[in-house]
Amino acid sequence: MGCASALAIAERGAQAVVLERAVPGAEASSAAAGILGAQVELHGPLREHKAALFTRARDAWGPWAAQLREASGIDVGYRVSGVLRAAIAETERAELASEVAWHQSRGLRASLLDAAGAREIEPQLSPSVHCAAYFADDGQVDPPALLRALVAAAARSARITIRSGATVQRLLVEHDRCVGVALDDGELRADAVVLAAGSWSSLVPGVPSSLPAVKPVRGQMLLLDERPPRLRTIVFGARAYVVPRGDGRVVCGSTMENAGFRKEVTAAGLEAILSGALACVPSLGAAQFSCAWSNFRPYVEGDAPLIGASPLAGLFLATGHHRNGILLSKVTADAVAAAVLTR
Ligand SMILES: Cc1cc2nc3c(=O)[nH]c(=O)nc-3n(C[C@H](O)[C@H](O)[C@H](O)COP(=O)(O)OP(=O)(O)OC[C@H]3O[C@@H](n4cnc5c(N)ncnc54)[C@H](O)[C@@H]3O)c2cc1C
């Protein structure tokens, strides 16, 4: 969110400094699966409100991926690979049917497939898969590549300075206005400050206590190496999802845990992901295990991200994106830049 917002602000002609305590992309953004799940991720009480934002966010990705390649020389792995939500129990059919009908009634592409239809889209699906909802327009990017591209594009911009190893100690507030930040080595004053500290956003001293708290939701992930590459489509099962990159790498995720900031990968977490993944795609059992990691989704009560102006003048928000921060990065950056530059 920090790098993307800086790029959008610089594009509009202003100067920006990205302040990062470690290196940009050190946390959730590089750890993500990179699913652009505008439809598969639409559930919960806010689904009606989120539909327009999520699909607009997905639409923004094609042009933005090309723009980032141009600006950085790095391909972010943008692909419209489609998503299957697979059901193994017969009892899930009614739920999938009503989900598909909801999307169709809003003019979004979605279909309910029987077992044969689902396997036509993804031949590696388990014979136990009973039926599936198919969202052909959902896609993916490769988050580590995306973060390298964002940092490279920001570093090449004459209007952006990146300061790695710069921890924001607190916001500077004068006369009810945020006028900059205090760092270890002094103060940095600015016309606008964008809070983009992910799961740590509420921990920055000076952030108004009236803002909803941002809390970490741990997600564990693992990477398999499938040779030769067989899987083509992103598959969501009841307990796990699998994301084939197209070159043999298959990212599998993920847990949703309230574990504070404990960045562990646990035996139970890996077991849950692997058993859920293999239940949908048994052929992954022969894939080689590469590595595993975990990180923190920035979650706000009610699951609505905090984007744009805040109650404190001079402070703008780009945080609380929970499971969908990669999907929402470009639309958030544009909204924040517009808010900053029009005050
Ligand atoms: C396992 C997992 C899977 C996910 N999968 C997907 C997915 O498939 N699709 C999707 O759209 N989203 C996904 N997400 C969600 C997405 O990754 C996040 O919503 C998004 O990356 C949040 O971006 P951010 O910039 O707010 O936070 P972060 O990427 O965490 O960045 C916050 C940065 O702020 C820095 N920071 C914190 N405090 C300070 C301070 N005081 N001073 C200076 N710097 C500070 C941190 O070092 C960090 O680099 C996933 C997340 C996880 C954890």
Side-chain angles (χ1 to χ4, degrees), residues 216-218 220 256-264 296:
V217 175
R218 184 170 75 187
Q220 301 185 38
M256 299 271 287
E257 302 165 272
N258 292 315
F261 287 104
R262 294 175 60 154
K263 205 186 274 182
E264 286 143 327
F296 310 108

Side-chain angles (χ1 to χ4, degrees), residues 122 139 148 157 233 265-266:
E122 180 47 72
R148 282 195 292 273
S157 165
T233 314
V265 175
T266 64

Side-chain angles (χ1 to χ4, degrees), residues 85-103:
R85 182 189 285 288
I88 288 179
E90 164 69 37
T91 48
E92 292 172 76
R93 175 183 278 275
E95 198 189 309
L96 284 191
S98 104
E99 189 177 343
V100 165
W102 186 90
H103 287 265

Side-chain angles (χ1 to χ4, degrees), residues 1 19-21 26-29 31-35 166-168 196-198 200 204 219 221 241 254 295-298 318 321-327:
M1 291 302 163
L19 299 166
E20 164 58 54
R21 64 180 179 194
E27 302 289 355
S29 299
I35 302 162
T167 300
V168 173
W200 298 267
V204 178
M221 303 280 286
Y241 55 70
S254 177
N295 214 288
F296 310 108
R297 305 176 186 89
H321 294 77
H322 196 213
R323 290 173 61 94
N324 301 113
I326 301 298
L327 169 68

